Amino acid sequence: MVVNSDDKVQKIVSLCKRRGIIFQNSEIYGGVQGFYDYGPIGSLMKKNWKDLWIKDNVQLRSDMVLIDGTIITHPKVWEASGHVTNFTDTMVECKKCHKRFRLDLLDDNSQCPECGGPLTEGRKYNILFETEIGVIEGEKLPAYLRGEACQTIYLDFKNIVDSTRVKIPFGIAQIGKAFRNEVTPKNFLYRTREFEQWDIQYFVHPKEMDKWYEYWKENRMTWYQKYFNQPDNLRFRQHEKDELVFYAQKAFDIEYQAPWGWAEMEGIHWRSDYDLTQHSKFSGQDLSYIDQSTNERYIPWIVESSGGIDRSFFFLLLDAYQEEKTKSGDTRTLLKLNPHLAAYKLAIFPLAANKPELVNLAQKIYTDLSSKYSVDFDDSNNIGKKYRRQDEIGTPWCAVVDYQSLEDNTVSIRDRDTMAQIRVKITEIDSWLSKQLN
Ligand code: ATP
């Protein structure tokens, strides 16, 4: 059943709350716009999403290393990067209803999109969050929460070259929080004020920039396509000439077809030698690289891929959300998530909660499997409700311990998507599951 796209975001927001995936932060105080917490299920899913990225981009590659940098850095970093002067949004306010909007996100800049009222002149706001380092008045150092995670990679470039055996071309990957005082946080996880990014900065010889740019552009799209059920909802958008920063020859976004239109998920950026040159200038340190085989010294050029983890996670939920009419006329809601992303790979239930022999056997299977897989156990009474809950959080398989299990040591395993059931020997659940996942 196709879910009306206007309702879909609302349906996902309420599913996320109902099933412990995502909560509005500080909800008991009325919440703050643009801040969300991941609940017991959501935090496992998000961890899986990040683990997949690390596995595919670091673990399986000999040309990539991983770092985990701080959120607060030396304040000069943000002067060098241009964020102190340029990280601004232009905001307008409706003179009638007093709602505020980001000017560049309005289709029609002449009137309020909500009530049609006239708008004020645009005013520029820097969206870096400010803080201070130190506690003594007069000695505090003004600082910022990082507006993008990738800057730390440039700061650590020299240390990494000096401390590891990396040779160009190589990449530094990082997952980390970024903070932006967005004027109009909106669309659930799409535009928030605190979010996580995954960044790859791939360092290349200037002559090889174009080749590596094309390589990462294709690589990142193919990677996302693996995990979305509907890859047609992903596309590239090439930046127009007037959108390009002066040092970029080209730029592409990977976009997702969200219910409100095509929306950016990740940017593939041509950064040339801009970042390392800026940090060389502002820090006074030489950030050039020496090719040991030719003795050539140069500032490496960079291909960047920078994606929003919460954004892509939200898009995965939109992609996976389905409603189906069952034979009995009910609606079955399910998250058709890739099993690698699901919080639990398998849920184990005893058929009846008041039969200790069934409960104990189910409990034992759960304990045995949990050292290897993230699994769930549910001995509440109603089997229909148990399936419903697991369908809604995307658990790909449910195993039921029933009376037959006591006789022939098998369980019934139900598939989330087809609802087909098969019998698997208890001693073979581990290898069966491992086969499904690989
Ligand atoms: P936008 O134009 O949507 O504001 P951007 O072009 O400023 O995004 P980048 O600076 O390139 O974004 O950041 C890289 C990625 O970080 C984006 O592709 C997006 O997925 C994510 N991102 C950026 N801003 C936010 C935000 N406010 N909330 C959630 N994710 C964000």
Side-chain angles (χ1 to χ4, degrees):
M1 183 165 45
V2 178
V3 183
N4 179 338
S5 60
D6 294 341
D7 303 341
K8 207 167 174 184
V9 173
Q10 266 330 302
K11 284 186 168 178
I12 285 180
V13 172
S14 72
L15 170 73
C16 283
K17 181 170 176 180
R18 187 166 76 243
R19 295 298 183 197
I21 301 174
I22 290 150
F23 307 124
Q24 169 82 62
N25 170 270
S26 312
E27 197 180 355
I28 58 168
Y29 288 100
V32 205
Q33 245 199 327
F35 295 93
Y36 291 93
D37 296 339
Y38 286 73
I41 302 300
S43 51
L44 289 176
M45 292 172 171
K46 189 183 186 190
K47 179 185 174 299
N48 292 339
W49 190 216
K50 293 194 283 189
D51 285 350
L52 285 171
W53 185 86
I54 292 176
K55 183 171 180 204
D56 291 339
N57 290 296
V58 182
Q59 188 184 325
L60 294 175
R61 299 184 62 115
S62 56
D63 60 345
M64 296 276 285
V65 293
L66 184 70
I67 63 159
D68 182 3
T70 63
I71 284 163
I72 296 174
T73 58
H74 195 290
K76 266 199 154 178
V77 170
W78 304 99
E79 289 173 35
S81 68
H83 283 76
V84 171
T85 40
N86 299 327
F87 205 44
T88 51
D89 279 341
T90 303
M91 191 172 83
V92 288
E93 188 173 322
C94 171
K95 290 182 184 165
K96 213 163 120 197
C97 72
H98 299 289
K99 290 224 168 89
R100 290 170 186 161
F101 307 94
R102 224 173 97 177
L103 189 62
D104 62 318
L105 298 178
L106 292 181
D107 291 333
D108 176 358
N109 292 346
S110 65
Q111 58 173 23
C112 172
E114 305 252 324
C115 73
L119 298 172
T120 59
E121 287 290 302
R123 281 176 60 191
K124 279 190 181 276
Y125 288 87
N126 191 297
I127 60 170
L128 282 176
F129 274 97
E130 289 171 27
T131 184
E132 287 169 329
I133 303 171
V135 290
I136 298 168
E137 279 313 324
E139 293 179 14
K140 291 181 184 175
L141 184 64
Y144 305 97
L145 305 189
R146 61 184 177 191
E148 59 181 23
C150 64
Q151 289 297 325
T152 333
I153 298 182
Y154 314 133
L155 306 180
D156 286 343
F157 170 76
K158 190 171 161 18
N159 276 331
I160 289 169
V161 171
D162 292 346
S163 64
T164 67
R165 286 169 300 120
V166 289
K167 285 199 181 68
I168 280 181
F170 75 92
I172 304 176
Q174 181 184 230
I175 284 182
K177 288 251 177 171
F179 300 81
R180 295 183 189 178
N181 218 340
E182 295 277 357
V183 174
T184 41
K186 65 173 181 182
N187 291 332
F188 195 36
L189 301 182
Y190 176 72
R191 188 172 301 289
T192 60
R193 289 174 163 143
E194 173 173 343
F195 53 95
E196 262 187 306
Q197 292 182 313
W198 46 37
D199 289 304
I200 293 170
Q201 306 289 322
Y202 201 77
F203 298 86
V204 303
H205 189 280
K207 284 196 180 132
E208 296 212 299
M209 182 67 186
D210 198 52
K211 176 181 109 185
W212 285 109
Y213 184 89
E214 289 305 316
Y215 169 87
W216 280 107
K217 182 182 148 227
E218 293 310 318
N219 178 299
R220 294 301 299 143
M221 175 61 104
T222 315
W223 188 81
Y224 280 112
Q225 284 171 336
K226 265 201 303 196
Y227 298 106
F228 279 78
N229 296 318
Q230 292 141 78
D232 287 354
N233 281 338
L234 299 173
R235 72 165 189 195
F236 283 119
R237 183 185 78 84
Q238 178 161 22
H239 287 212
E240 303 290 339
K241 280 268 170 299
D242 61 358
E243 291 177 83
L244 290 176
V245 280
F246 69 89
Y247 50 81
Q249 222 175 70
K250 49 188 163 183
F252 283 82
D253 289 338
I254 297 176
E255 294 188 332
Y256 175 75
Q257 188 159 33
W260 61 92
W262 287 97
E264 174 180 337
M265 182 162 77
E266 175 158 315
I268 320 294
H269 301 130
W270 178 295
R271 302 205 60 102
S272 70
D273 62 353
Y274 178 74
D275 306 283
L276 291 179
T277 304
Q278 282 295 101
H279 286 301
S280 285
K281 264 193 216 151
F282 277 74
S283 68
Q285 302 283 321
D286 179 6
L287 297 181
S288 60
Y289 170 87
I290 302 175
D291 185 323
Q292 302 290 349
S293 57
T294 60
N295 274 338
E296 186 188 2
R297 178 189 279 277
Y298 59 95
I299 297 266
W301 282 34
I302 296 175
V303 183
E304 169 187 75
S305 78
S306 180
I309 302 175
D310 313 86
R311 242 185 222 190
S312 54
F313 179 74
F314 176 31
F315 293 156
L316 281 170
L317 295 180
L318 283 163
D319 176 72
Y321 185 91
Q322 285 199 5
E323 290 177 0
E324 281 179 7
K325 276 268 172 267
T326 62
K327 282 188 199 132
S328 55
D330 294 342
T331 301
R332 178 170 90 106
T333 300
L334 69 155
L335 277 187
K336 245 182 172 173
L337 281 178
N338 180 301
H340 289 283
L341 284 159
Y344 305 121
K345 310 304 166 210
L346 183 78
I348 301 131
F349 319 142
L351 182 66
N354 56 357
K355 295 282 179 253
E357 55 287 32
L358 299 182
V359 176
N360 292 344
L361 181 55
Q363 181 83 55
K364 182 173 182 316
I365 297 171
Y366 165 75
T367 309
D368 288 349
L369 288 172
S370 55
S371 65
K372 194 159 164 197
Y373 306 96
S374 175
V375 287
D376 195 17
F377 174 79
D378 187 350
D379 64 354
S380 61
N381 240 327
N382 183 324
I383 192 97
K385 278 198 182 150
K386 289 194 274 205
Y387 279 140
R388 205 181 162 85
R389 172 172 185 276
Q390 299 298 335
D391 285 345
E392 286 198 349
I393 61 172
T395 308
W397 301 285
C398 294
V400 175
V401 174
D402 52 19
Y403 295 103
Q404 190 183 330
S405 310
L406 302 177
E407 284 163 19
D408 66 2
N409 286 316
T410 63
V411 291
S412 142
I413 295 187
R414 168 194 180 265
D415 182 280
R416 173 196 68 200
D417 302 341
T418 62
M419 291 196 282
Q421 300 193 8
I422 53 165
R423 299 234 38 122
V424 175
K425 281 198 179 139
I426 292 171
T427 51
E428 287 170 10
I429 302 176
D430 181 355
S431 55
W432 180 86
L433 202 51
S434 157
K435 205 167 132 206
Q436 305 306 309
L437 290 168
N438 292 316

